Amino acid sequence: MSAVLIKDASKIYDDGERKIIALDRVNLEIKEGEFTCLVGPSGSGKSTLLNLIGGLDKPSSGEVSIGEKNLSVLNSDQLAELRLHDIGFVFQAYNLIPVLSARENVEFVMHLQGLSAEERRQKAMDVLAKVGLAGLEDRRPGQLSGGQQQRVAVARAIVSRPKLVLADEPTANLDSKTARNLVLLMEELHHKEGITFLFSTHDPVVVELADRVIKLHDGKIAEDEIKIK
Amino acid sequence: MKSIGVLLVLAVRSLSRNKIRTLITLAAISLGVMSAVLLSAFAKGLSYGMAENAIKTLTGHIQIHAHGYLDDPSAELSFSELNQKDLSALKSGGVEKIAFRIRIPAVATSERESAGVTIVGIDPQQESGMSFISDAVRQGEMIRNPAEPGVVVGKDLLRVLKTEIGRRIVIITQDATNKIVDRGFRIVGVFESELKSTEKGFIFMGIATAQEWLGLKDKVSEAVIRIESVKDSRPAAKKLGEILPQLDVRPWQDIEPLITSLTQVHDGFLVIWFLIVIVAISFGVINAQLMSIFERTREFGVLMALGLKPKQLIVLVGMEAAVILIVGTVLGDMLGALGYAYLNRGLDLSGFASASEHLGFARIVYPHFSLFDWTLCNVLLLVIGILGSLYPAYLASRLNPVEAISGRGKE
């Protein structure tokens, strides 16, 4: 079954003086359980595509669907609900909430989902242990290293078992060893939990470990390689 | 809303992020609230002091006159002292104490000067606990009985007439038949009062002496009444008016319209001051919220990406404003209470004696706490402040998540 289905999606930015085509009639299907990465030079449309898939932005034309939900017909509250329940995000700059501890950051999404305090705490502790942060649950982001913060971000993204995790250059701010460990962790979670991951990246480690590599160029899919492992 | 708890935690912790800004905003709110609370207590103290002065001086809680006397306070417009039946009816109507008086305008002359005065014929026994005069004589003696021939004058009148205790003054007035009459009286006592105008304006004599001199027999100009609580003056006066329809029964508010008007002016001024303070505070809170939002644009974008709805973002920003407003208001109330406790020993306005005298203010003002004013100030601040914070909250809710996460700002 499709985790993501994109039909003829374009995104054009118009600043009044000129039009920039960030995505040009993209068609793409990502199946459930894939570990896919989007590659391409800066400006090729990777982040724009992730934003459309994440319901953070709307295409100028075409359709984006997550599972059976067509994002074009959803209003801002419905899109927020979709992101809350079906999509996890991992950002390049970690983007943890600085006034919350690692555990509270992970619990935040479950808070919004209305889970009980006990359930939230249990799940948060479990997932933090899974990403190797047992014992650091009460530290705030400022007290964690970049790699540890990104692990918290991964824990936050997967804790409520979303259908899809979108990771926008998650290793860009990490050293190569930390980056490799983080990608290996996500690959392990993908295998064990069956979570669909979609990365945008320049990092060869991510490309090496991905099942499928989609190359974007000038807003178009230039190459789509499915690896046989 | 399921998320209210976590939003409250976020709101409180976000305020602690920029401590200096939060403290400055808190200080502005607290000082504003403190000034409003203290000003209200001071203004109410002034009003209450004026009313208390007037009531204590000669006005009482309720006055009874012949119809027309208040417009033309002459000896002719007098009424017979009330009979036993009427007095019993008054007692059952809540009257605690009653004093009968003769009260007629007159001119007092000494060997050197003359002055317009009001002569007040009193029964010294009835005035005890009713008016200031029974405890106000500082030189000489108070009139001991209603038929005593001497008079008691104010210290300032003594100065104006350039005379002294033990000497005689001549008082000229009209009697019950509107005939001009005059008689010499020896000054037996000198009283002092809170207000110079009282010292200058009144001459006290025995009521029987006045009745005999003016041909009033058993008639009086006014009956002054004290009831249990000053607050009940108006309804009690209405009730007594029904018992004595042949007479003009008025509460003190009607007898002292200037005080009533000034009290209303004070109340109006307070509401205006409250609004000025509250609007100024609200602008401060809105400004602090706007700065906070612009600094946290990326964070708001992330929260939206994680599934926070626009209306939840409005709640979050509104909560931050509510928390700082509530804490600032409580601090301001506490500072106001401290200031009130300090000023409660009395604020000496004798340095402004001539101005305060003119308006009838007491020389020492005791602040008066008004629960209504306090509630009005607190509720208005919280409501207007939180409503004001909806503007930055609305801006936050309009953020485009993609632009916000990239730090590029609002939609």
Side-chain angles (χ1 to χ4, degrees):
Chain A
M1 190 179 169
S2 298
V4 178
L5 186 61
I6 300 172
K7 289 182 190 167
D8 262 341
S10 296
K11 182 70 185 176
I12 300 165
Y13 294 105
D14 187 352
D15 66 3
E17 291 178 5
R18 59 192 181 130
K19 287 183 179 173
I20 298 163
I21 301 171
L23 281 180
D24 190 4
R25 284 169 290 160
V26 169
N27 287 288
L28 176 66
E29 182 182 12
I30 294 170
K31 296 227 174 344
E32 278 182 2
E34 281 189 7
F35 195 73
T36 306
C37 72
L38 300 170
V39 296
S42 295
S44 59
K46 303 187 296 291
S47 295
T48 303
L49 188 56
L50 281 188
N51 289 335
L52 296 186
I53 294 169
L56 296 173
D57 208 350
K58 294 204 168 187
S60 308
S61 63
E63 282 180 8
V64 178
S65 299
I66 301 295
E68 291 174 350
K69 291 173 188 161
N70 180 354
L71 306 196
S72 317
V73 298
L74 302 183
N75 62 29
S76 59
D77 275 1
Q78 290 167 326
L79 285 171
E81 278 290 324
L82 176 91
R83 291 193 293 268
L84 179 63
H85 294 282
D86 296 342
I87 303 173
F89 285 91
V90 180
F91 303 98
Q92 178 180 339
Y94 326 137
N95 285 342
L96 299 177
I97 302 163
V99 292
L100 300 181
S101 68
R103 180 176 56 76
E104 289 168 332
N105 263 285
V106 175
E107 280 189 33
F108 183 78
V109 172
M110 294 185 283
H111 243 303
L112 297 182
Q113 289 172 338
L115 269 61
S116 71
E118 198 179 329
E119 198 177 351
R120 286 197 311 262
R121 191 178 180 88
Q122 190 57 52
K123 283 191 172 183
M125 297 301 269
D126 287 350
V127 79
L128 282 169
K130 241 179 235 174
V131 299
L133 291 175
L136 301 177
E137 300 89 350
D138 293 326
R139 291 199 185 176
R140 288 202 181 175
Q143 298 167 311
L144 297 170
S145 69
Q148 288 169 333
Q149 286 187 56
Q150 200 61 304
R151 280 166 183 263
V152 176
V154 171
R156 179 177 68 183
I158 64 166
V159 71
S160 55
R161 301 296 307 270
K163 287 183 182 147
L164 174 69
V165 172
L166 301 174
D168 190 5
E169 307 208 28
T171 59
N173 289 355
L174 304 177
D175 62 71
S176 59
K177 190 180 166 196
T178 312
R180 186 172 187 84
N181 287 340
L182 183 83
V183 180
L184 286 171
L185 168 73
M186 289 196 273
E187 196 202 20
E188 189 187 337
L189 291 167
H190 156 68
H191 282 303
K192 282 188 181 167
E193 314 279 339
I195 298 170
T196 309
F197 278 86
L198 177 60
F199 298 84
S200 79
T201 189
H202 292 288
D203 190 339
V205 177
V206 182
V207 177
E208 177 198 327
L209 292 171
D211 299 334
R212 182 179 175 190
V213 179
I214 298 165
K215 197 177 278 181
L216 286 170
H217 190 77
D218 289 341
K220 291 180 178 172
I221 294 177
E223 209 175 305
D224 188 350
E225 178 197 357
I226 298 173
K227 293 181 188 172
I228 307 211
K229 288 188 175 175
Chain B
M1 197 186 281
K2 291 179 283 191
S3 54
I4 210 90
V6 72
L7 294 182
L8 183 61
V9 170
L10 258 186
V12 172
R13 291 197 192 164
S14 296
L15 287 172
S16 67
R17 245 188 263 190
N18 193 327
K19 289 189 177 64
I20 291 179
R21 181 166 61 216
T22 301
L23 284 175
I24 289 172
T25 311
L26 275 178
I29 297 169
S30 308
L31 289 175
V33 170
M34 184 192 74
S35 79
V37 167
L38 284 183
L39 196 74
S40 147
F42 180 72
K44 278 282 184 290
L46 272 182
S47 302
Y48 277 63
M50 283 163 64
E52 191 58 34
N53 248 341
I55 288 167
K56 242 180 23 191
T57 302
L58 286 172
T59 306
H61 294 153
I62 296 167
Q63 291 191 359
I64 301 173
H65 304 97
H67 285 291
Y69 171 86
L70 287 173
D71 294 329
D72 176 19
S74 63
E76 186 189 10
L77 290 171
S78 51
F79 62 97
S80 294
E81 280 192 45
L82 303 175
N83 59 34
Q84 211 49 49
K85 190 181 150 210
D86 287 338
L87 286 172
S88 302
L90 289 180
K91 293 271 183 210
S92 65
V95 170
E96 250 188 4
K97 202 166 170 45
I98 187 162
F100 294 99
R101 295 178 188 147
I102 301 292
R103 190 162 164 165
I104 309 287
V107 174
T109 62
S110 65
E111 296 90 335
R112 296 179 188 162
E113 297 290 343
S114 60
V117 294
T118 298
I119 51 171
V120 186
I122 56 168
D123 178 339
Q125 304 260 308
Q126 292 176 347
E127 293 299 327
S128 173
M130 172 65 83
S131 71
F132 79 108
I133 192 61
S134 51
D135 306 317
V137 173
R138 298 284 176 270
Q139 291 178 56
E141 291 179 342
M142 177 58 185
I143 305 157
R144 290 205 186 90
N145 66 69
E148 196 170 307
V151 293
V152 171
V153 302
K155 186 180 170 188
D156 215 48
L157 184 61
L158 210 64
R159 183 186 59 75
V160 170
L161 294 178
K162 294 181 181 162
T163 185
E164 57 191 40
I165 191 163
R167 300 192 72 135
R168 287 167 69 89
I169 53 171
V170 174
I171 302 174
I172 307 161
T173 187
Q174 286 176 285
D175 68 6
T177 59
N178 280 334
K179 203 171 76 185
I180 301 286
V181 290
D182 61 78
R183 185 182 280 190
F185 293 90
R186 189 170 303 283
I187 299 169
V188 297
V190 177
F191 70 87
E192 289 182 22
S193 150
E194 180 77 21
L195 302 176
K196 291 267 183 227
S197 57
T198 307
E199 288 182 8
K200 209 183 286 184
F202 293 99
I203 293 177
F204 292 89
M205 64 175 63
I207 189 168
T209 305
Q211 283 169 328
E212 177 273 316
W213 173 38
L214 300 172
L216 285 166
K217 295 185 183 159
D218 65 342
K219 286 187 168 180
V220 295
S221 308
E222 71 183 18
V224 183
I225 286 169
R226 260 187 184 265
I227 56 172
E228 200 171 313
S229 168
V230 64
K231 287 179 194 157
D232 301 329
S233 301
R234 193 171 286 283
K238 193 170 175 233
K239 200 170 163 190
L240 297 183
E242 287 162 9
I243 296 170
L244 302 169
Q246 75 279 17
L247 294 172
D248 185 10
V249 183
R250 302 277 186 107
W252 69 268
Q253 293 95 327
D254 289 0
I255 305 293
E256 304 282 355
L258 180 65
I259 293 174
T260 311
S261 304
L262 274 174
T263 304
Q264 286 165 351
V265 168
H266 283 165
D267 289 347
F269 170 71
L270 275 180
V271 171
I272 291 169
W273 177 248
F274 285 170
L275 286 175
I276 289 171
V277 166
I278 287 164
V279 168
I281 288 174
S282 299
F283 277 125
V285 172
I286 291 168
N287 184 44
Q289 291 296 104
L290 282 174
M291 287 168 72
S292 172
I293 283 167
F294 286 126
E295 283 168 9
R296 289 155 60 205
T297 301
R298 186 188 296 270
E299 185 180 314
F300 286 151
V302 172
L303 291 175
M304 292 170 107
L306 294 178
L308 198 72
K309 292 173 187 157
K311 62 187 170 203
Q312 290 173 310
L313 210 47
I314 290 178
V315 171
L316 173 64
V317 177
M319 269 187 179
E320 289 182 22
V323 167
I324 201 164
L325 281 165
I326 289 169
V327 174
T329 305
V330 170
L331 282 176
D333 286 336
M334 286 163 68
L335 287 173
L338 285 176
Y340 178 77
Y342 177 76
L343 294 175
N344 209 23
R345 66 187 71 169
L347 200 60
D348 190 350
L349 294 185
S350 48
F352 309 98
S354 56
S356 61
E357 171 79 12
H358 186 66
L359 291 167
F361 295 156
R363 288 177 206 181
I364 295 178
V365 174
Y366 296 93
H368 180 89
F369 175 76
S370 160
L371 183 64
F372 175 80
D373 286 355
W374 178 81
T375 310
L376 182 72
C377 173
N378 280 240
V379 170
L380 271 181
L381 175 59
L382 293 177
V383 170
I384 294 178
I386 292 171
L387 283 179
S389 77
L390 290 181
Y391 171 63
Y394 170 76
L395 289 184
S397 75
R398 298 281 296 160
L399 287 169
N400 175 315
V402 174
E403 291 184 355
I405 293 168
S406 67
R408 288 203 303 272
K410 59 184 188 291
E411 201 173 52

